[in-house]
């Protein structure tokens, strides 16, 4: 009986953990490195959640209409190490976020840099498989000079 209860408890724990594990993805699975975007406007909502934080920004389109974009950032722990914490970007803060649009062309993107009105810029992007080597990630090795091999 104890063995059955123990097995049931482990199976339940694994089942409950599965959605969080499946929700995490590589950059290349969801975002298009060939679709750079620049989103400007006030932050209207922040989701400080795992596996990625999301900054919702109200962008004014060329025709004057407004669209709220969901811009994915790194994990909350990674953002903390980069100087972004839960209260460092209050709702209403004007930001410029450059990044890459989702492959499904929805109003979602992976933010790389967040720039504030005072010119301060923070790297907010998630890195890893499929993320562009665009020089925005301060932890990425420098690009090789022309004629040099990058070892890949």
């Amino acid at each position: 009986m104890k063995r059955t209860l123990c097995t049931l408890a482990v199976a339940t724990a694994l089942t409950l953990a599965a959605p969080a594990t499946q929700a995490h993805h590589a950059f290349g699975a969801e975002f298009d490195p060939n679709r750079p975007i620049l989103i400007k406007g006030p932050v209207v909502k922040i989701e400080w959640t795992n596996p990625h934080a999301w900054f919702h920004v109200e962008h004014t389109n060329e025709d004057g209409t407004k669209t709220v974009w969901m811009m994915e950032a790194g994990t909350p722990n990674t953002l903390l190490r980069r100087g972004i914490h839960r209260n460092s970007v209050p709702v209403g803060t004007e930001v410029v976020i450059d990044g890459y649009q989702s492959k499904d062309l929805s109003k979602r993107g992976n933010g790389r840099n967040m720039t504030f009105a005072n010119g301060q810029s923070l790297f907010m992007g998630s890195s890893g498989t499929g993320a562009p080597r665009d020089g925005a990630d301060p932890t990425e090795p420098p690009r090789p000079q022309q004629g040099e091999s990058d070892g890949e």
Side-chain angles (χ1 to χ4, degrees):
M1 181 71 177
K2 282 185 179 183
R3 186 176 198 157
T4 303
L5 285 175
C6 184
T7 302
L8 182 59
V10 169
T12 301
L14 290 173
T15 301
L16 291 174
T21 302
Q22 292 171 351
H24 194 260
H25 56 85
F27 174 96
E30 191 168 348
F31 302 102
D32 188 343
N34 298 313
R35 291 192 173 276
I37 54 175
L38 189 67
I39 305 301
K40 301 176 185 180
V43 173
V44 295
K45 179 180 175 183
I46 300 170
E47 295 178 74
W48 197 260
T49 58
N50 277 318
H52 294 278
W54 290 87
F55 290 81
H56 300 251
V57 177
E58 185 180 62
H59 177 77
T60 302
N61 303 310
E62 288 181 20
D63 65 3
T65 60
K66 296 183 184 291
T67 304
V68 175
W69 280 77
M70 293 176 60
M71 299 301 292
E72 182 185 72
T75 67
N77 188 38
T78 300
L79 293 176
L80 284 169
R81 289 191 309 254
R82 293 180 184 150
I84 303 172
H85 55 82
R86 185 181 298 272
N87 299 318
S88 65
V89 185
V91 169
T93 302
E94 291 283 334
V95 297
V96 176
I97 299 177
D98 65 275
Y100 298 91
Q101 189 170 15
S102 61
K103 287 183 175 181
D104 66 6
L105 303 181
S106 64
K107 302 301 182 207
R108 289 181 312 121
N110 179 273
R112 298 294 280 169
N113 289 304
M114 177 185 293
T115 305
F116 300 95
N118 67 3
Q120 177 189 16
S121 182
L122 297 170
F123 179 69
M124 65 182 286
S126 52
S127 303
T129 307
R133 289 189 57 193
D134 56 8
D137 185 348
T139 65
E140 115 187 340
R143 288 182 170 178
Q145 298 297 319
Q146 189 170 6
E148 293 179 6
S149 172
D150 66 1
E152 292 182 4

